Amino acid sequence: MTADTEAKVEAAERAALELATVAESDRNAALDAIAGAIDESREEILAANADDVAAAEDLLEAGEYTQALVDRLDVDDAKLDSIVAMVESVAARDDPLGETLDARHLDDDLDLYKVAVPIGVIGTVFESRPDALVQIAALALKSGNAVILKGGSEASESNRELFEIIREAAQSVDAIPEGWVQLIEARAAVDTVLEMDESIDLLMPRGSSAFVSYVQDNTQIPVLGHTEGVCHVFVDREADLDEAVEVAYDAKVQYPAVCNAVETLLVHEAVAEAFLPRVAERYAEAGVELRGDERTRAVLADADVEVSEATEADWTTEYGDLILSIRIVESLRAAIDHVNSNGSKHTESILTEDDARARQFMTRIDASSVFHNASTRFADGYRYGLGAEVGISTGKIHARGPVGLEGLTTYKYYLEGDGHLVATYAGEDAVPFTHEPFDGTF
Amino acid sequence: MTADTEAKVEAAERAALELATVAESDRNAALDAIAGAIDESREEILAANADDVAAAEDLLEAGEYTQALVDRLDVDDAKLDSIVAMVESVAARDDPLGETLDARHLDDDLDLYKVAVPIGVIGTVFESRPDALVQIAALALKSGNAVILKGGSEASESNRELFEIIREAAQSVDAIPEGWVQLIEARAAVDTVLEMDESIDLLMPRGSSAFVSYVQDNTQIPVLGHTEGVCHVFVDREADLDEAVEVAYDAKVQYPAVCNAVETLLVHEAVAEAFLPRVAERYAEAGVELRGDERTRAVLADADVEVSEATEADWTTEYGDLILSIRIVESLRAAIDHVNSNGSKHTESILTEDDARARQFMTRIDASSVFHNASTRFADGYRYGLGAEVGISTGKIHARGPVGLEGLTTYKYYLEGDGHLVATYAGEDAVPFTHEPFDGTF
């Protein structure tokens, strides 16, 4: 345990109790102040970011970093515009707090309310992307949660600058308690955070599956984690093949590095000969490396594309790249079984003109998102209309799939009585409860 | 890993995929069959239970068990009546599955549905109470979840008998997949369950805090656990003291062994002299042992009751017995701080005629249930109108407080498209999303 980190987490815990009762107008005023401060501090942010980018480019030259990661780290004026707009859009969203989710009379003058409240203290770990820090802090503030931020070390200068801007700007609104946002930097600090289960209510790690697994192994705090996306597109025997070529292409090529890109294409045997050569040609144009099962390789033997042999490991691999495995299946049932056995419960899509077969696929597959005639790439908080997302959860508990503001809330029961005793409702002369729902708010 | 347990969990995993698509009418038919089978197997159940009770009475004589635990284990005809009625009432509840929680158009012919679905495979560990096994199995079946049951060893004969009755009765309905309910018995089997994070979606352990903590320390599976209930009643300076005496009495005495009984009574200094002697007298009649801070002991020095000195440990202890700690506080704020520092976020109650002060207390205290002028003993799934409860969660994630059927569900996104590509909605000529909510069901 590092004392400094402990002190930060404890400050966040105290702040969370205060922040839970701060009015929506004050939280929004703080968000507006943050957007304004970022807008006015462009010079300082760009200077800090330039230091990070320079260091990352040294790593790149040494072969220890990729151009894609440098691009993700790099902030320019246009990216700052989008960061400012993002904070403003979080401020503009409906308040996720205070809504009465359920209200019922238990008896005369005994009314129960179930009300949306913040979770409390949320610990986050995220990749080297300065915009991620701002987005997570903004979503936490909007939903009344204190937040511990740990960004990738390559973004440390940018993160420190943005953190200070956010902290100071929020402080300009009197009602916002000090300490609601905390930045930690050392890896040892993460281990301290994992031990503080009495103070932290939820962990949201982003990053590699190995890291999320490390977190789950080393803490008693609930983890809302994103492990991996092994997504499938199934081209059914009843598919519109013209449409299927386009969707299969989009799902892989439009942005291959992300978790909702397709990794395995399943093709019904009845359409394999008609479909595979066409889609393979499109993939070849985009430079997609293909790995097929035996039947796929036989079907594509005469086509002008190379298809290497898929191994067992290919069926469970998230390539995150222009690589695709292909398997021919003999039935809808076989496709469903392949997905349930090998998928990561992220996003799955069936392409078919037969609605009954689509429904079979959709209801029998256990995944957070299941699509019919659409690209897997639609699985995303922004596209779903949830606003900015704090992450995508591959677990099934609390929040599933893209997690927006609602995933940062829990609820609390309020009971308003008039000296009511349980003894009245127990034993032989027990008064019955009415349990009558009513339209009321706490 | 024990191979037998592994096989059971894997069978449950396969069954869960099937059970998720079983129609409500079939699940209810199976519940009715279970209720009928229990009703018709009274003789066998009572015989098995008699063996358990005889063994427990031997333990009792040897001083290794308590009469209360024997009573909880004991099943008679009246208890069987209530078990049968409970299963019937679970069958009669609204279906927790299939509800479209949200529907929105993303664009023309691109519709997103968020639909309630079962969680999958739920692992449960519960105390030596035969009715608990039936209740958990019934709630799992109603909500479409496969379930691993591990009951207390003292109830092993009763559990085995009830498990076989449930398994066979459910099998009489064709649509119910084999393997949805599994019984494990050895402690080693529990450790195997904890390791099977690929197959089990949620753990719901009941029992001691130490056991729940052991589970959290030894698994990557999300845990919905009940640790302890250190509940408070705060008698404010604006309390109706007649009413306060009755509520404080009910909260401790009506059933002291349960988690929602009060453990610490906080009293505003302005009413301490008027209130404490009165309530202490009532408690003394019921044999409640009192432990007070210095000021409490001074106020009660002349009263005809004994008050021992409360230590720091008393403020965080769940007695589960006729013991109560008492502290005088100088303000509403001090009461809130005491609860937030020492409580277990379970159930807290303020007694006051001042609504503004009540609201302060209720919104500033971080607990799953916060009451105004009512006994803490109301915190319970049945009293809240949730129907039978599968447990009370002291965590803040997924389900909080009493957990009924809704807590056994998660959701899934279904997207219906017509060959939609993400490329259409990206880049310079991006088509905007409409994100328009509509009244529709999947």
Side-chain angles (χ1 to χ4, degrees):
Chain A
M1 306 272 275
T2 64
D4 175 49
T5 304
E6 256 190 277
K8 286 179 179 178
V9 173
E10 282 162 6
E13 193 184 4
R14 286 189 299 275
L17 290 169
E18 297 294 319
L19 192 56
T21 63
V22 171
E24 182 191 11
S25 56
D26 288 320
R27 282 177 277 127
N28 288 342
L31 286 164
D32 288 336
I34 290 168
I38 292 173
D39 197 25
E40 283 161 23
S41 312
R42 287 170 183 259
E43 216 170 302
E44 296 88 327
I45 297 169
L46 294 176
N49 184 249
D51 290 346
D52 285 333
V53 171
E57 279 171 343
D58 289 347
L59 288 176
L60 177 65
E61 243 170 84
E64 291 166 16
Y65 216 54
T66 69
Q67 186 60 49
L69 291 174
V70 174
D71 293 347
R72 211 167 61 168
L73 178 62
D74 197 8
V75 174
D76 58 13
D77 252 312
K79 208 180 241 181
L80 276 178
D81 287 345
S82 76
I83 290 174
V84 170
M86 181 271 296
V87 176
E88 286 167 347
S89 83
V90 170
R93 289 196 78 83
D94 288 343
D95 191 4
L97 303 180
E99 194 189 344
T100 297
L101 307 167
D102 193 25
R104 62 183 77 194
H105 300 297
L106 304 191
D107 195 4
D108 290 343
D109 292 324
L110 187 64
D111 299 329
L112 183 71
Y113 303 87
K114 182 179 176 181
V115 176
V117 299
I119 289 174
V121 180
I122 298 176
T124 64
V125 185
F126 48 92
E127 59 277 30
S128 295
R129 262 176 65 180
D131 52 329
L133 181 142
V134 182
Q135 184 174 38
I136 292 168
L139 290 167
L141 179 55
K142 177 78 182 188
S143 56
N145 290 287
V147 64
I148 319 285
L149 303 164
K150 165 76 177 79
S153 56
E154 295 81 7
S156 59
E157 297 296 330
S158 319
N159 285 345
R160 222 172 285 152
E161 187 65 38
L162 286 164
F163 166 73
E164 280 304 332
I165 291 168
I166 290 169
R167 201 184 58 74
E168 272 178 37
Q171 229 49 70
S172 73
V173 177
D174 282 344
I176 305 294
E178 259 187 85
W180 71 273
V181 61
Q182 299 285 345
L183 182 71
I184 60 175
E185 305 201 50
R187 173 63 193 249
V190 174
D191 289 325
T192 299
V193 162
L194 299 188
E195 287 172 42
M196 296 186 72
D197 51 278
E198 295 286 327
S199 302
I200 299 177
D201 297 296
L202 180 65
L203 291 175
M204 303 190 79
R206 311 208 301 207
S208 69
S209 297
F211 175 68
V212 173
S213 204
Y214 172 82
V215 168
Q216 288 171 325
D217 268 343
N218 288 282
T219 190
Q220 285 203 11
I221 304 169
V223 178
L224 207 64
H226 172 263
T227 50
E228 54 182 0
V230 179
C231 304
H232 300 75
V233 169
F234 170 50
V235 181
D236 184 39
R237 67 163 196 233
E238 308 295 337
D240 173 329
L241 297 188
D242 293 340
E243 200 177 282
V245 169
E246 298 308 318
V247 172
Y249 182 86
D250 184 89
K252 180 81 246 179
V253 178
Q254 199 266 334
Y255 194 1
V258 288
C259 56
N260 55 18
V262 65
E263 308 296 357
T264 300
L265 184 67
L266 299 172
V267 182
H268 194 287
E269 58 181 15
V271 295
E273 308 238 1
F275 176 71
L276 279 174
R278 291 180 56 188
V279 78
E281 197 179 319
R282 286 295 304 282
Y283 282 138
E285 285 164 25
V288 177
E289 178 193 330
L290 302 181
R291 303 182 185 176
D293 70 338
E294 210 174 312
R295 296 181 70 186
T296 299
R297 298 179 76 207
V299 169
L300 290 175
D302 299 330
D304 192 21
V305 291
E306 259 193 85
V307 186
S308 64
E309 197 180 329
T311 64
E312 270 307 304
D314 278 300
W315 310 127
T316 53
T317 298
E318 179 179 29
Y319 303 115
D321 205 342
L322 286 175
I323 307 171
L324 181 78
S325 55
I326 306 179
R327 184 176 197 170
I328 294 177
V329 292
E330 75 272 22
S331 64
L332 172 62
R333 183 76 215 199
I336 292 168
D337 287 346
H338 178 97
V339 173
N340 278 333
S341 302
N342 298 286
S344 63
K345 305 184 182 181
H346 192 295
T347 302
E348 312 296 348
S349 182
I350 180 172
L351 310 182
T352 186
E353 299 303 299
D354 182 324
D355 288 347
R357 290 170 69 85
R359 185 163 279 261
Q360 280 262 335
F361 183 91
M362 296 171 90
T363 57
R364 288 187 171 274
I365 283 197
D366 181 20
S368 63
S369 292
V370 194
F371 297 173
H372 176 201
N373 289 342
S375 168
T376 53
R377 292 272 299 111
F378 280 103
D380 167 277
Y382 164 68
R383 291 179 196 120
Y384 280 6
L386 306 179
E389 74 185 21
V390 73
I392 293 190
S393 166
T394 45
K396 295 160 101 174
I397 302 306
H398 186 71
R400 194 178 190 193
V403 181
L405 283 169
E406 201 189 311
L408 298 182
T409 66
T410 180
Y411 54 80
K412 193 168 161 181
Y413 287 103
Y414 292 123
L415 183 65
E416 283 282 2
D418 189 24
H420 289 71
L421 313 178
V422 161
T424 312
Y425 305 89
E428 278 188 18
D429 300 320
V431 171
F433 289 105
T434 57
H435 290 150
E436 203 178 318
F438 69 100
D439 278 331
T441 56
F442 179 74
Chain B
M1 304 271 277
T2 65
D4 176 49
T5 304
E6 256 190 279
K8 286 179 180 177
V9 172
E10 282 162 6
E13 193 183 4
R14 286 190 299 276
L17 290 169
E18 297 294 319
L19 192 57
T21 64
V22 170
E24 183 191 11
S25 55
D26 288 321
R27 283 177 276 126
N28 288 342
L31 286 164
D32 289 336
I34 290 168
I38 292 172
D39 197 24
E40 282 162 24
S41 313
R42 287 171 183 259
E43 216 170 303
E44 296 88 327
I45 298 168
L46 294 176
N49 184 251
D51 290 347
D52 285 334
V53 171
E57 280 172 342
D58 289 348
L59 288 176
L60 178 66
E61 243 169 84
E64 291 165 16
Y65 216 55
T66 69
Q67 186 60 48
L69 292 173
V70 174
D71 293 347
R72 212 165 61 166
L73 178 62
D74 197 10
V75 175
D76 59 12
D77 252 312
K79 208 180 241 180
L80 277 177
D81 288 344
S82 76
I83 290 174
V84 170
M86 181 271 296
V87 176
E88 286 166 347
S89 83
V90 170
R93 289 196 78 83
D94 288 342
D95 191 5
L97 303 180
E99 194 189 345
T100 297
L101 306 168
D102 193 25
R104 61 183 76 195
H105 300 298
L106 303 192
D107 195 4
D108 289 344
D109 292 325
L110 187 63
D111 299 328
L112 183 71
Y113 303 86
K114 182 179 176 182
V115 177
V117 298
I119 289 174
V121 179
I122 298 175
T124 63
V125 185
F126 47 93
E127 60 277 29
S128 296
R129 261 176 64 180
D131 52 327
L133 181 142
V134 182
Q135 185 174 35
I136 292 168
L139 289 167
L141 180 56
K142 177 80 183 188
S143 56
N145 289 288
V147 63
I148 319 284
L149 303 164
K150 166 73 177 82
S153 56
E154 295 81 6
S156 59
E157 297 296 331
S158 319
N159 285 346
R160 224 171 284 151
E161 187 66 36
L162 286 165
F163 166 72
E164 280 303 332
I165 292 168
I166 289 169
R167 201 184 58 74
E168 273 178 38
Q171 228 49 68
S172 72
V173 177
D174 281 344
I176 306 294
E178 259 187 83
W180 71 275
V181 59
Q182 300 285 345
L183 182 71
I184 60 175
E185 304 200 51
R187 174 62 192 249
V190 174
D191 288 325
T192 299
V193 162
L194 298 188
E195 286 172 42
M196 296 186 73
D197 51 280
E198 294 287 326
S199 303
I200 299 176
D201 298 297
L202 180 65
L203 292 175
M204 303 189 80
R206 311 207 302 206
S208 69
S209 297
F211 176 68
V212 173
S213 204
Y214 173 82
V215 168
Q216 288 171 323
D217 268 342
N218 287 283
T219 190
Q220 285 203 11
I221 304 168
V223 178
L224 206 63
H226 173 262
T227 50
E228 54 182 0
V230 179
C231 305
H232 300 75
V233 169
F234 170 50
V235 181
D236 183 41
R237 66 162 198 234
E238 307 295 336
D240 174 329
L241 297 188
D242 293 339
E243 201 177 281
V245 168
E246 297 308 319
V247 172
Y249 182 85
D250 184 89
K252 179 81 244 179
V253 178
Q254 199 267 335
Y255 194 1
V258 286
C259 55
N260 55 19
V262 66
E263 308 296 357
T264 301
L265 185 66
L266 299 172
V267 182
H268 194 288
E269 59 181 16
V271 294
E273 307 239 2
F275 176 70
L276 278 174
R278 290 181 57 190
V279 79
E281 196 180 322
R282 286 295 303 280
Y283 281 138
E285 283 164 27
V288 177
E289 178 191 331
L290 302 180
R291 303 182 186 177
D293 70 338
E294 208 173 314
R295 294 183 70 186
T296 298
R297 297 179 75 204
V299 169
L300 290 174
D302 298 332
D304 192 21
V305 292
E306 259 191 86
V307 187
S308 65
E309 198 179 330
T311 64
E312 270 308 303
D314 279 298
W315 309 126
T316 53
T317 298
E318 179 178 31
Y319 302 115
D321 205 345
L322 286 175
I323 307 172
L324 182 78
S325 55
I326 307 178
R327 183 176 195 170
I328 293 176
V329 292
E330 75 272 24
S331 64
L332 171 62
R333 183 75 215 199
I336 292 169
D337 288 346
H338 178 97
V339 172
N340 278 332
S341 304
N342 298 285
S344 62
K345 306 184 181 180
H346 192 298
T347 303
E348 311 297 348
S349 183
I350 180 172
L351 311 182
T352 186
E353 299 303 299
D354 182 325
D355 288 346
R357 290 171 69 85
R359 185 163 278 261
Q360 281 262 335
F361 183 91
M362 296 170 89
T363 56
R364 289 187 171 272
I365 282 196
D366 181 19
S368 64
S369 293
V370 195
F371 297 172
H372 177 201
N373 289 342
S375 167
T376 53
R377 291 273 299 112
F378 279 103
D380 167 278
Y382 163 69
R383 290 180 197 119
Y384 280 7
L386 307 179
E389 75 185 21
V390 73
I392 294 190
S393 166
T394 45
K396 295 160 102 173
I397 303 305
H398 187 71
R400 193 178 193 194
V403 181
L405 284 169
E406 202 189 311
L408 298 181
T409 66
T410 180
Y411 54 81
K412 193 168 162 181
Y413 287 103
Y414 291 123
L415 183 65
E416 284 282 1
D418 190 23
H420 288 71
L421 313 177
V422 161
T424 312
Y425 305 89
E428 277 189 17
D429 300 320
V431 171
F433 289 105
T434 57
H435 290 151
E436 204 179 315
F438 69 100
D439 277 329
T441 56
F442 179 73

